[in-house]
Amino acid sequence: MTDEEIQPIDTYSFDYAILDLQFSPSNPAKFAYAASNGGIFVCSFDSTTDDFIVEEKFIRVAACPDTLILSLAWAPPHLHSDFIAVTLSTGVISMVDSVRLTSQSKNYAHSLEAWVIAWSTAIDCPAVYSGGDDSALCFHRLKMDLQLETVFDALPRDTLHGEFVHDSKIHGAGVTSILPLWINENNDEYLLTGSYDEYVRIVQIKSDVRKPQLLLEKRLDGGVWQLRQLEVPESSIVEKNGKLSFMVLASCMHAGCRVFRICRMADGNWSIEILGKFQEHESMNYASDARLEAPGQSLQDLTFVSTSFYDKKLCVWKLENA
């Protein structure tokens, strides 16, 4: 993309749907995508060659080829691991070894589709959070060896005991997005979640009981399918006056995009302020992202890209007067 103009590099056709695509946080030339054929593909690419994708490897996750892989998340860099967490249309979550090309463990966490998965920000606790169509937000602590090379069964098959927390009281409909916030105080964690019920929520996870506690919720007028934290200098996680502040981009299905600021004041009170909207899509907005144009410093220097489903539309836009 140059000067706000989209220039396709290459086009690939497949015999299956692609439900999610995520780049490796440790290797920018590597990505994985979730497919509707019961597996994921791990790919390497080189933008300087004629064939953009130079390597593609398939990993079977579900025995049934009709099972949809709905989302995936690479292990964060601090874990020094090549594992990918994935969710299935059967409600299962699975851990996949992208080097050995194997699916290591499964947990039947949700009674309906498992829509989303995200890794915990805790340094000393390899764990993931998942959200499903059953309105449940789940916490799963993983069992790994000291080198984080092997994931043993996170939980016994078909059971829900061990390091597992299942909460279906906070959300009024399916949990569709989870954004862990890099705030770690007293080993507590904070999540931003989105739901079909059109609300975005700030949830605190207490380290002692791992029971989610709702801190604040705000309606965005559309199902909150995706959440992206915006990386701009003016959106500082920690400010000198003790206030926490950061900005988020939300894909809100039929309502389009929302850009909002989250703040926690020194007295502990939280707020969510809508800064802008983009509503030019004529169908469901499922994915959006943004890029900061150098030497940009503010929201006005971000170039946004958003997509919608039925109308097959891709939009490039800027936020004004934020």
Side-chain angles (χ1 to χ4, degrees):
M1 187 176 68
T2 58
D3 298 326
E4 301 180 21
E5 180 181 348
I6 299 296
Q7 298 178 343
I9 296 175
D10 212 337
T11 302
Y12 295 86
S13 298
F14 302 100
D15 296 328
Y16 42 81
I18 297 174
L19 287 304
D20 194 14
L21 187 152
Q22 301 289 340
F23 284 85
S24 167
S26 303
N27 183 352
K30 195 173 184 179
F31 67 92
Y33 63 86
S36 62
N37 63 355
I40 70 170
F41 290 82
V42 178
C43 306
S44 298
F45 72 92
D46 185 349
S47 60
T48 65
T49 64
D50 292 336
D51 293 324
F52 185 72
I53 297 178
V54 295
E55 185 179 43
E56 184 177 49
K57 297 180 179 179
F58 177 71
I59 305 175
R60 168 67 60 189
V61 180
C64 177
D66 294 330
T67 300
L68 307 182
I69 310 302
L70 296 176
S71 70
L72 57 85
W74 292 83
H78 71 264
L79 291 182
H80 306 290
S81 171
D82 292 304
F83 280 96
I84 303 174
V86 302
T87 67
L88 283 64
S89 56
T90 54
V92 167
I93 68 165
S94 181
M95 299 301 299
V96 174
D97 188 331
S98 67
V99 175
R100 295 180 177 87
L101 306 180
T102 58
S103 178
Q104 291 284 343
S105 61
K106 291 181 173 66
N107 176 21
Y108 290 79
H110 298 274
S111 59
L112 296 171
E113 291 92 339
W115 289 121
V116 65
I117 197 159
W119 288 80
S120 165
T121 59
I123 301 298
D124 58 349
C125 173
V128 292
Y129 293 96
S130 64
D133 209 50
D134 53 1
S135 305
L137 174 66
C138 298
F139 168 82
H140 320 256
R141 188 188 302 274
L142 306 178
K143 296 180 180 179
M144 296 184 174
D145 68 10
L146 295 178
Q147 288 73 40
L148 299 177
E149 293 177 348
T150 303
V151 176
F152 302 102
D153 283 341
L155 292 172
R157 197 176 179 88
D158 289 321
T159 62
L160 296 178
H161 42 254
E163 292 290 342
F164 180 86
V165 176
H166 180 281
D167 180 276
S168 57
K169 296 180 179 179
I170 290 178
H171 299 86
V175 180
T176 48
S177 53
I178 301 173
L179 177 63
L181 305 177
W182 286 88
I183 305 169
N184 199 310
E185 299 172 337
N186 302 317
N187 292 322
D188 293 348
E189 289 190 79
Y190 296 84
L191 308 177
L192 188 66
T193 66
S195 172
Y196 275 135
D197 65 9
E198 303 187 354
Y199 281 85
V200 63
R201 293 175 171 88
I202 301 171
V203 178
Q204 182 181 16
I205 311 295
K206 291 285 190 179
S207 61
D208 51 353
V209 295
R210 289 289 170 185
K211 182 177 177 59
Q213 178 183 352
L214 177 63
L215 301 179
L216 184 67
E217 60 184 8
K218 187 175 184 65
R219 188 173 183 177
L220 299 185
D221 300 323
V224 186
W225 187 261
Q226 185 195 72
L227 295 164
R228 287 277 189 270
Q229 185 170 334
L230 297 175
E231 301 295 338
V232 291
E234 70 175 30
S235 178
S236 175
I237 280 289
V238 180
E239 298 182 357
K240 293 181 179 180
N241 60 5
K243 182 177 72 173
L244 304 177
S245 176
F246 47 94
M247 300 177 194
V248 177
L249 169 65
S251 299
C252 297
M253 301 179 72
H254 69 271
C257 302
R258 299 289 186 273
V259 177
F260 56 91
R261 178 187 286 114
I262 295 177
C263 292
R264 191 190 69 177
M265 306 307 292
D267 61 6
N269 289 322
W270 292 81
S271 66
I272 298 176
E273 176 191 6
I274 304 297
L275 301 176
K277 303 177 182 180
F278 182 78
Q279 298 175 294
E280 297 300 316
H281 290 285
E282 299 174 4
S283 71
M284 299 292 191
N285 166 224
Y286 282 125
S288 310
D289 214 330
R291 184 180 70 180
L292 186 65
E293 304 296 337
Q297 296 290 318
S298 68
L299 279 177
Q300 286 76 23
D301 299 313
L302 284 169
T303 297
F304 294 87
V305 177
S306 55
T307 61
S308 46
F309 190 65
Y310 297 107
D311 56 357
K312 304 176 185 178
K313 183 180 289 186
L314 186 151
C315 296
V316 181
W317 47 280
K318 293 269 192 179
L319 195 64
E320 298 179 352
N321 303 320

